[in-house]
Short mmCIF file of all heavy atoms in Angstrom, two decimals:
data_model
loop_
_atom_site.label_atom_id
_atom_site.label_comp_id
_atom_site.label_asym_id
_atom_site.label_seq_id
_atom_site.Cartn_x
_atom_site.Cartn_y
_atom_site.Cartn_z
N SER A 148 51.20 31.29 -15.32
CA SER A 148 50.69 31.94 -16.52
C SER A 148 49.27 31.44 -16.79
O SER A 148 49.05 30.24 -16.98
CB SER A 148 51.58 31.63 -17.73
OG SER A 148 50.93 32.00 -18.94
N PHE A 149 48.32 32.35 -16.81
CA PHE A 149 46.93 31.95 -17.09
C PHE A 149 46.79 31.38 -18.49
O PHE A 149 46.02 30.45 -18.72
CB PHE A 149 46.00 33.16 -16.92
CG PHE A 149 45.74 33.54 -15.50
CD1 PHE A 149 46.55 34.46 -14.86
CD2 PHE A 149 44.70 32.96 -14.78
CE1 PHE A 149 46.32 34.80 -13.53
CE2 PHE A 149 44.46 33.30 -13.47
CZ PHE A 149 45.27 34.22 -12.83
N ALA A 150 47.55 31.92 -19.43
CA ALA A 150 47.48 31.44 -20.81
C ALA A 150 47.98 30.00 -20.92
O ALA A 150 47.42 29.18 -21.66
CB ALA A 150 48.28 32.35 -21.73
N ASP A 151 49.03 29.67 -20.16
CA ASP A 151 49.57 28.30 -20.20
C ASP A 151 48.57 27.29 -19.67
O ASP A 151 48.47 26.17 -20.18
CB ASP A 151 50.86 28.22 -19.37
CG ASP A 151 52.03 28.90 -20.07
OD1 ASP A 151 51.89 29.24 -21.26
OD2 ASP A 151 53.06 29.10 -19.41
N ILE A 152 47.84 27.67 -18.64
CA ILE A 152 46.93 26.73 -17.99
C ILE A 152 45.54 26.73 -18.62
O ILE A 152 44.93 25.68 -18.82
CB ILE A 152 46.80 27.04 -16.49
CG1 ILE A 152 48.18 26.99 -15.82
CG2 ILE A 152 45.83 26.07 -15.80
CD1 ILE A 152 48.87 25.64 -15.93
N TYR A 153 45.03 27.91 -18.98
CA TYR A 153 43.65 28.01 -19.46
C TYR A 153 43.54 28.26 -20.97
O TYR A 153 42.44 28.41 -21.50
CB TYR A 153 42.91 29.12 -18.71
CG TYR A 153 42.81 28.87 -17.23
CD1 TYR A 153 43.60 29.57 -16.32
CD2 TYR A 153 41.94 27.90 -16.73
CE1 TYR A 153 43.51 29.33 -14.96
CE2 TYR A 153 41.84 27.66 -15.37
CZ TYR A 153 42.63 28.37 -14.49
OH TYR A 153 42.54 28.13 -13.14
N GLY A 154 44.69 28.32 -21.63
CA GLY A 154 44.66 28.51 -23.07
C GLY A 154 44.10 29.86 -23.48
O GLY A 154 44.39 30.88 -22.85
N LYS A 155 43.25 29.86 -24.50
CA LYS A 155 42.71 31.10 -25.04
C LYS A 155 41.95 31.90 -23.98
O LYS A 155 42.02 33.14 -23.96
CB LYS A 155 41.77 30.78 -26.20
CG LYS A 155 41.27 32.01 -26.94
CD LYS A 155 40.42 31.62 -28.15
CE LYS A 155 39.92 32.85 -28.88
NZ LYS A 155 39.09 32.48 -30.05
N LEU A 156 41.25 31.20 -23.08
CA LEU A 156 40.50 31.89 -22.03
C LEU A 156 41.41 32.72 -21.14
O LEU A 156 41.03 33.80 -20.67
CB LEU A 156 39.74 30.86 -21.18
CG LEU A 156 38.90 31.41 -20.02
CD1 LEU A 156 37.76 32.27 -20.54
CD2 LEU A 156 38.35 30.27 -19.16
N GLY A 157 42.62 32.23 -20.90
CA GLY A 157 43.53 32.92 -19.99
C GLY A 157 44.49 33.89 -20.66
O GLY A 157 45.31 34.51 -19.96
N GLN A 158 44.40 34.03 -21.97
CA GLN A 158 45.33 34.92 -22.68
C GLN A 158 45.16 36.37 -22.23
O GLN A 158 44.05 36.85 -22.04
CB GLN A 158 45.11 34.82 -24.19
CG GLN A 158 45.69 33.56 -24.80
CD GLN A 158 45.51 33.52 -26.30
OE1 GLN A 158 44.89 34.40 -26.88
NE2 GLN A 158 46.04 32.49 -26.94
N ASN A 159 46.30 37.02 -22.03
CA ASN A 159 46.34 38.44 -21.68
C ASN A 159 45.68 38.75 -20.34
O ASN A 159 45.29 39.89 -20.09
CB ASN A 159 45.70 39.31 -22.77
CG ASN A 159 46.39 39.16 -24.10
OD1 ASN A 159 47.57 38.81 -24.17
ND2 ASN A 159 45.66 39.40 -25.18
N PHE A 160 45.58 37.72 -19.47
CA PHE A 160 44.98 37.97 -18.16
C PHE A 160 46.03 37.87 -17.06
O PHE A 160 46.83 36.93 -17.02
CB PHE A 160 43.86 36.96 -17.86
CG PHE A 160 43.19 37.22 -16.53
CD1 PHE A 160 42.20 38.17 -16.41
CD2 PHE A 160 43.59 36.53 -15.39
CE1 PHE A 160 41.61 38.43 -15.19
CE2 PHE A 160 43.00 36.78 -14.16
CZ PHE A 160 42.01 37.74 -14.06
N ILE A 161 46.03 38.83 -16.18
CA ILE A 161 46.88 38.86 -14.99
C ILE A 161 46.34 39.97 -14.10
O ILE A 161 45.60 40.84 -14.59
CB ILE A 161 48.38 39.12 -15.35
CG1 ILE A 161 49.32 38.74 -14.20
CG2 ILE A 161 48.58 40.57 -15.74
CD1 ILE A 161 49.60 37.26 -14.10
N GLU A 162 46.66 39.96 -12.83
CA GLU A 162 46.20 41.03 -11.96
C GLU A 162 47.32 42.02 -11.70
O GLU A 162 48.48 41.63 -11.56
CB GLU A 162 45.68 40.46 -10.64
CG GLU A 162 44.45 39.59 -10.84
CD GLU A 162 43.77 39.21 -9.53
OE1 GLU A 162 44.17 39.74 -8.46
OE2 GLU A 162 42.84 38.39 -9.58
N ALA A 163 46.96 43.30 -11.66
CA ALA A 163 47.94 44.36 -11.43
C ALA A 163 47.98 44.68 -9.94
O ALA A 163 46.94 44.93 -9.32
CB ALA A 163 47.58 45.60 -12.23
N HIS A 164 49.16 44.67 -9.37
CA HIS A 164 49.34 44.92 -7.94
C HIS A 164 50.15 46.20 -7.75
O HIS A 164 51.27 46.32 -8.26
CB HIS A 164 50.07 43.74 -7.30
CG HIS A 164 50.54 44.02 -5.90
ND1 HIS A 164 49.67 44.20 -4.85
CD2 HIS A 164 51.81 44.16 -5.40
CE1 HIS A 164 50.38 44.43 -3.75
NE2 HIS A 164 51.68 44.42 -4.05
N HIS A 165 49.58 47.15 -7.02
CA HIS A 165 50.28 48.39 -6.73
C HIS A 165 51.21 48.16 -5.54
O HIS A 165 50.75 47.85 -4.43
CB HIS A 165 49.29 49.51 -6.40
CG HIS A 165 48.46 49.94 -7.58
ND1 HIS A 165 47.46 49.14 -8.10
CD2 HIS A 165 48.49 51.07 -8.33
CE1 HIS A 165 46.90 49.78 -9.12
NE2 HIS A 165 47.50 50.95 -9.28
N THR A 166 52.49 48.27 -5.77
CA THR A 166 53.46 47.97 -4.71
C THR A 166 53.52 49.06 -3.65
O THR A 166 54.06 48.82 -2.56
CB THR A 166 54.86 47.77 -5.32
OG1 THR A 166 55.23 48.95 -6.05
CG2 THR A 166 54.86 46.57 -6.27
N ILE A 167 52.99 50.22 -3.95
CA ILE A 167 52.94 51.30 -2.95
C ILE A 167 51.47 51.57 -2.63
O ILE A 167 50.72 52.03 -3.49
CB ILE A 167 53.61 52.59 -3.47
CG1 ILE A 167 55.06 52.34 -3.85
CG2 ILE A 167 53.52 53.69 -2.41
CD1 ILE A 167 55.79 53.54 -4.39
N PRO A 168 51.03 51.27 -1.40
CA PRO A 168 49.63 51.48 -1.02
C PRO A 168 49.25 52.96 -1.10
O PRO A 168 50.10 53.85 -1.00
CB PRO A 168 49.57 50.98 0.43
CG PRO A 168 50.79 50.14 0.61
CD PRO A 168 51.83 50.71 -0.30
N VAL A 169 47.96 53.21 -1.27
CA VAL A 169 47.47 54.58 -1.35
C VAL A 169 47.83 55.37 -0.10
O VAL A 169 48.24 56.53 -0.17
CB VAL A 169 45.93 54.58 -1.56
CG1 VAL A 169 45.37 55.99 -1.36
CG2 VAL A 169 45.58 54.09 -2.95
N ALA A 170 47.70 54.72 1.06
CA ALA A 170 48.01 55.42 2.32
C ALA A 170 49.47 55.86 2.35
O ALA A 170 49.79 56.97 2.82
CB ALA A 170 47.72 54.50 3.51
N GLU A 171 50.38 55.01 1.83
CA GLU A 171 51.79 55.37 1.79
C GLU A 171 52.04 56.50 0.80
O GLU A 171 52.87 57.38 1.05
CB GLU A 171 52.61 54.14 1.40
CG GLU A 171 54.11 54.32 1.51
CD GLU A 171 54.58 54.60 2.93
OE1 GLU A 171 53.93 54.10 3.88
OE2 GLU A 171 55.57 55.32 3.08
N MET A 172 51.32 56.46 -0.32
CA MET A 172 51.45 57.54 -1.30
C MET A 172 51.06 58.89 -0.69
O MET A 172 51.71 59.90 -0.90
CB MET A 172 50.56 57.25 -2.52
CG MET A 172 51.05 56.13 -3.41
SD MET A 172 49.96 55.87 -4.84
CE MET A 172 50.10 57.46 -5.68
N ARG A 173 50.00 58.86 0.10
CA ARG A 173 49.54 60.10 0.72
C ARG A 173 50.57 60.63 1.70
O ARG A 173 50.80 61.83 1.80
CB ARG A 173 48.20 59.86 1.41
CG ARG A 173 47.05 59.59 0.45
CD ARG A 173 45.78 59.19 1.18
NE ARG A 173 45.30 60.26 2.03
CZ ARG A 173 44.26 60.13 2.87
NH1 ARG A 173 43.65 58.97 2.97
NH2 ARG A 173 43.88 61.16 3.60
N LYS A 174 51.22 59.70 2.44
CA LYS A 174 52.26 60.11 3.38
C LYS A 174 53.43 60.75 2.64
O LYS A 174 54.05 61.70 3.12
CB LYS A 174 52.76 58.91 4.18
CG LYS A 174 51.79 58.40 5.22
CD LYS A 174 52.39 57.21 5.96
CE LYS A 174 51.42 56.64 6.98
NZ LYS A 174 52.00 55.46 7.68
N GLN A 175 53.76 60.18 1.47
CA GLN A 175 54.89 60.68 0.68
C GLN A 175 54.52 61.89 -0.17
O GLN A 175 55.39 62.48 -0.82
CB GLN A 175 55.42 59.57 -0.23
CG GLN A 175 55.95 58.35 0.51
CD GLN A 175 56.38 57.25 -0.43
OE1 GLN A 175 56.46 57.46 -1.65
NE2 GLN A 175 56.67 56.07 0.11
N GLY A 176 53.23 62.22 -0.18
CA GLY A 176 52.78 63.35 -1.00
C GLY A 176 52.76 63.01 -2.48
O GLY A 176 52.76 63.91 -3.33
N LYS A 177 52.75 61.70 -2.80
CA LYS A 177 52.75 61.27 -4.20
C LYS A 177 51.33 61.29 -4.75
O LYS A 177 50.37 60.95 -4.07
CB LYS A 177 53.30 59.84 -4.35
CG LYS A 177 54.81 59.73 -4.20
CD LYS A 177 55.24 58.29 -4.10
CE LYS A 177 54.86 57.46 -5.31
NZ LYS A 177 55.59 57.85 -6.54
N THR A 178 51.19 61.69 -6.00
CA THR A 178 49.89 61.68 -6.68
C THR A 178 49.96 60.91 -7.98
O THR A 178 48.97 60.82 -8.70
CB THR A 178 49.41 63.12 -6.98
OG1 THR A 178 50.40 63.80 -7.77
CG2 THR A 178 49.17 63.90 -5.69
N GLU A 179 51.12 60.35 -8.29
CA GLU A 179 51.29 59.60 -9.54
C GLU A 179 51.97 58.26 -9.27
O GLU A 179 52.72 58.11 -8.30
CB GLU A 179 52.13 60.41 -10.54
CG GLU A 179 51.45 61.70 -10.99
CD GLU A 179 52.32 62.45 -11.99
OE1 GLU A 179 53.52 62.14 -12.09
OE2 GLU A 179 51.79 63.34 -12.68
N THR A 180 51.68 57.30 -10.13
CA THR A 180 52.30 55.98 -10.04
C THR A 180 52.94 55.65 -11.36
O THR A 180 52.36 55.89 -12.43
CB THR A 180 51.23 54.90 -9.72
OG1 THR A 180 50.63 55.20 -8.46
CG2 THR A 180 51.86 53.51 -9.65
N SER A 181 54.13 55.09 -11.31
CA SER A 181 54.82 54.70 -12.55
C SER A 181 54.59 53.22 -12.81
O SER A 181 54.23 52.45 -11.91
CB SER A 181 56.33 54.97 -12.42
OG SER A 181 56.89 54.14 -11.43
N ILE A 182 54.83 52.81 -14.05
CA ILE A 182 54.66 51.41 -14.43
C ILE A 182 55.59 50.52 -13.60
O ILE A 182 55.24 49.39 -13.26
CB ILE A 182 54.92 51.22 -15.94
CG1 ILE A 182 53.75 51.81 -16.74
CG2 ILE A 182 55.12 49.76 -16.29
CD1 ILE A 182 53.91 51.69 -18.23
N GLU A 183 56.76 51.03 -13.26
CA GLU A 183 57.72 50.26 -12.47
C GLU A 183 57.20 49.93 -11.08
O GLU A 183 57.71 49.04 -10.40
CB GLU A 183 59.05 51.02 -12.36
CG GLU A 183 59.84 51.09 -13.64
CD GLU A 183 59.23 52.07 -14.65
OE1 GLU A 183 58.45 52.97 -14.21
OE2 GLU A 183 59.52 51.94 -15.84
N GLU A 184 56.18 50.67 -10.62
CA GLU A 184 55.61 50.44 -9.30
C GLU A 184 54.41 49.47 -9.35
O GLU A 184 53.73 49.27 -8.35
CB GLU A 184 55.18 51.77 -8.67
CG GLU A 184 56.36 52.67 -8.36
CD GLU A 184 55.95 54.09 -8.02
OE1 GLU A 184 54.86 54.53 -8.45
OE2 GLU A 184 56.73 54.77 -7.33
N ILE A 185 54.19 48.90 -10.52
CA ILE A 185 53.11 47.92 -10.71
C ILE A 185 53.72 46.54 -10.88
O ILE A 185 54.57 46.33 -11.74
CB ILE A 185 52.25 48.25 -11.94
CG1 ILE A 185 51.58 49.62 -11.78
CG2 ILE A 185 51.21 47.16 -12.19
CD1 ILE A 185 50.53 49.67 -10.69
N ALA A 186 53.28 45.58 -10.07
CA ALA A 186 53.69 44.19 -10.23
C ALA A 186 52.53 43.43 -10.85
O ALA A 186 51.36 43.74 -10.59
CB ALA A 186 54.06 43.58 -8.88
N LEU A 187 52.84 42.45 -11.67
CA LEU A 187 51.81 41.63 -12.28
C LEU A 187 51.81 40.27 -11.60
O LEU A 187 52.84 39.58 -11.59
CB LEU A 187 52.05 41.49 -13.79
CG LEU A 187 52.09 42.82 -14.56
CD1 LEU A 187 52.25 42.57 -16.04
CD2 LEU A 187 50.83 43.64 -14.29
N VAL A 188 50.70 39.91 -10.99
CA VAL A 188 50.65 38.70 -10.17
C VAL A 188 49.38 37.90 -10.44
O VAL A 188 48.37 38.44 -10.89
CB VAL A 188 50.72 39.06 -8.67
CG1 VAL A 188 52.07 39.64 -8.31
CG2 VAL A 188 49.61 40.04 -8.28
N CYS A 189 49.45 36.60 -10.12
CA CYS A 189 48.26 35.75 -10.24
C CYS A 189 47.31 36.07 -9.08
O CYS A 189 47.69 36.73 -8.11
CB CYS A 189 48.64 34.27 -10.25
SG CYS A 189 49.27 33.67 -8.66
N SER A 190 46.10 35.58 -9.17
CA SER A 190 45.08 35.88 -8.16
C SER A 190 45.48 35.39 -6.77
O SER A 190 45.27 36.07 -5.77
CB SER A 190 43.75 35.25 -8.56
OG SER A 190 43.41 35.62 -9.89
N ASN A 191 46.08 34.19 -6.69
CA ASN A 191 46.48 33.65 -5.39
C ASN A 191 47.54 34.51 -4.72
O ASN A 191 47.44 34.86 -3.55
CB ASN A 191 47.00 32.22 -5.55
CG ASN A 191 45.88 31.22 -5.79
OD1 ASN A 191 44.72 31.53 -5.62
ND2 ASN A 191 46.24 30.02 -6.18
N CYS A 192 48.57 34.82 -5.47
CA CYS A 192 49.65 35.63 -4.91
C CYS A 192 49.16 37.03 -4.54
O CYS A 192 49.60 37.60 -3.54
CB CYS A 192 50.82 35.70 -5.89
SG CYS A 192 51.73 34.13 -6.04
N HIS A 193 48.24 37.56 -5.35
CA HIS A 193 47.71 38.88 -5.05
C HIS A 193 47.01 38.89 -3.69
O HIS A 193 47.19 39.80 -2.87
CB HIS A 193 46.73 39.31 -6.15
CG HIS A 193 46.57 40.79 -6.24
ND1 HIS A 193 45.75 41.41 -7.16
CD2 HIS A 193 47.14 41.81 -5.53
CE1 HIS A 193 45.81 42.72 -7.01
NE2 HIS A 193 46.65 42.99 -6.02
N ARG A 194 46.22 37.84 -3.43
CA ARG A 194 45.54 37.75 -2.14
C ARG A 194 46.54 37.61 -1.00
O ARG A 194 46.34 38.18 0.08
CB ARG A 194 44.58 36.56 -2.14
CG ARG A 194 43.38 36.71 -3.08
CD ARG A 194 42.46 37.84 -2.67
NE ARG A 194 41.83 37.60 -1.38
CZ ARG A 194 40.67 36.96 -1.23
NH1 ARG A 194 40.03 36.49 -2.27
NH2 ARG A 194 40.15 36.79 -0.03
N MET A 195 47.60 36.85 -1.21
CA MET A 195 48.60 36.66 -0.16
C MET A 195 49.37 37.94 0.13
O MET A 195 49.71 38.22 1.28
CB MET A 195 49.57 35.54 -0.55
CG MET A 195 48.96 34.15 -0.62
SD MET A 195 48.28 33.59 0.98
CE MET A 195 46.52 33.91 0.73
N LEU A 196 49.61 38.74 -0.89
CA LEU A 196 50.31 40.01 -0.69
C LEU A 196 49.52 40.95 0.23
O LEU A 196 50.08 41.72 1.00
CB LEU A 196 50.56 40.70 -2.04
CG LEU A 196 51.62 40.07 -2.93
CD1 LEU A 196 51.52 40.62 -4.35
CD2 LEU A 196 53.02 40.31 -2.37
N HIS A 197 48.19 40.84 0.14
CA HIS A 197 47.32 41.73 0.92
C HIS A 197 46.77 41.08 2.18
O HIS A 197 46.02 41.71 2.92
CB HIS A 197 46.13 42.19 0.05
CG HIS A 197 46.49 43.18 -1.00
ND1 HIS A 197 46.55 44.54 -0.76
CD2 HIS A 197 46.83 43.01 -2.31
CE1 HIS A 197 46.89 45.17 -1.88
NE2 HIS A 197 47.07 44.27 -2.83
N LYS A 198 47.14 39.85 2.46
CA LYS A 198 46.50 39.11 3.55
C LYS A 198 46.87 39.62 4.95
O LYS A 198 46.04 39.62 5.84
CB LYS A 198 46.84 37.61 3.45
CG LYS A 198 46.09 36.74 4.45
CD LYS A 198 46.38 35.27 4.22
CE LYS A 198 45.56 34.41 5.17
NZ LYS A 198 45.89 34.61 6.58
N GLY A 199 48.10 40.03 5.15
CA GLY A 199 48.54 40.46 6.47
C GLY A 199 48.07 41.85 6.84
O GLY A 199 47.37 42.53 6.08
N LYS A 200 48.44 42.28 8.04
CA LYS A 200 48.08 43.62 8.49
C LYS A 200 48.77 44.68 7.66
O LYS A 200 48.25 45.78 7.48
CB LYS A 200 48.44 43.78 9.97
CG LYS A 200 47.60 42.92 10.90
CD LYS A 200 47.97 43.16 12.35
CE LYS A 200 47.12 42.31 13.28
NZ LYS A 200 47.47 42.52 14.72
N SER A 201 49.96 44.35 7.18
CA SER A 201 50.68 45.28 6.31
C SER A 201 50.96 44.59 4.99
O SER A 201 51.05 43.36 4.92
CB SER A 201 51.99 45.73 6.96
OG SER A 201 52.82 44.62 7.24
N LEU A 202 51.14 45.37 3.94
CA LEU A 202 51.35 44.84 2.61
C LEU A 202 52.70 44.13 2.51
O LEU A 202 53.73 44.68 2.89
CB LEU A 202 51.29 45.98 1.60
CG LEU A 202 51.29 45.61 0.12
CD1 LEU A 202 49.99 44.92 -0.25
CD2 LEU A 202 51.49 46.86 -0.74
N LEU A 203 52.68 42.90 2.00
CA LEU A 203 53.94 42.18 1.78
C LEU A 203 54.59 42.67 0.50
O LEU A 203 53.90 43.03 -0.47
CB LEU A 203 53.67 40.67 1.63
CG LEU A 203 53.64 39.81 2.89
CD1 LEU A 203 53.30 38.38 2.50
CD2 LEU A 203 54.97 39.86 3.62
N SER A 204 55.90 42.65 0.46
CA SER A 204 56.60 43.00 -0.77
C SER A 204 56.67 41.76 -1.66
O SER A 204 56.50 40.63 -1.20
CB SER A 204 58.02 43.49 -0.47
OG SER A 204 58.82 42.41 0.02
N ILE A 205 56.93 41.98 -2.94
CA ILE A 205 57.06 40.87 -3.89
C ILE A 205 58.20 39.95 -3.45
O ILE A 205 58.06 38.72 -3.45
CB ILE A 205 57.33 41.40 -5.31
CG1 ILE A 205 56.14 42.23 -5.81
CG2 ILE A 205 57.62 40.26 -6.27
CD1 ILE A 205 54.86 41.45 -5.99
N GLU A 206 59.31 40.53 -3.05
CA GLU A 206 60.46 39.72 -2.64
C GLU A 206 60.16 38.91 -1.38
O GLU A 206 60.58 37.76 -1.26
CB GLU A 206 61.68 40.63 -2.41
CG GLU A 206 62.26 41.21 -3.68
CD GLU A 206 62.63 40.13 -4.69
OE1 GLU A 206 63.22 39.11 -4.29
OE2 GLU A 206 62.32 40.30 -5.88
N ALA A 207 59.43 39.50 -0.45
CA ALA A 207 59.10 38.79 0.80
C ALA A 207 58.22 37.57 0.50
O ALA A 207 58.42 36.49 1.06
CB ALA A 207 58.40 39.72 1.77
N LEU A 208 57.25 37.74 -0.40
CA LEU A 208 56.37 36.63 -0.74
C LEU A 208 57.13 35.55 -1.52
O LEU A 208 56.89 34.36 -1.35
CB LEU A 208 55.16 37.12 -1.53
CG LEU A 208 54.07 36.08 -1.77
CD1 LEU A 208 53.55 35.51 -0.46
CD2 LEU A 208 52.92 36.68 -2.58
N LYS A 209 58.06 35.98 -2.35
CA LYS A 209 58.90 35.02 -3.08
C LYS A 209 59.68 34.14 -2.11
O LYS A 209 59.80 32.92 -2.30
CB LYS A 209 59.88 35.76 -3.99
CG LYS A 209 59.32 36.18 -5.35
CD LYS A 209 60.44 36.79 -6.18
CE LYS A 209 59.97 37.13 -7.58
NZ LYS A 209 61.07 37.69 -8.39
#
Side-chain angles (χ1 to χ4, degrees):
S148 167
F149 285 91
D151 287 349
I152 302 300
Y153 298 105
K155 186 176 180 180
L156 179 65
Q158 283 182 356
N159 300 335
F160 182 82
I161 197 79
E162 296 190 8
H164 169 68
H165 292 72
T166 57
I167 302 179
V169 169
E171 188 63 30
M172 288 181 62
R173 292 173 63 186
K174 287 180 182 179
Q175 298 176 11
K177 286 170 59 68
T178 58
E179 296 180 344
T180 299
S181 65
I182 287 180
E183 290 74 21
E184 293 168 336
I185 299 292
L187 301 184
V188 293
C189 69
S190 308
N191 285 348
C192 288
H193 204 180
R194 292 295 295 271
M195 293 299 100
L196 288 166
H197 287 274
K198 187 175 183 296
K200 292 182 179 179
S201 59
L202 188 69
L203 272 178
S204 68
I205 297 295
E206 289 305 316
L208 188 58
K209 277 185 176 181

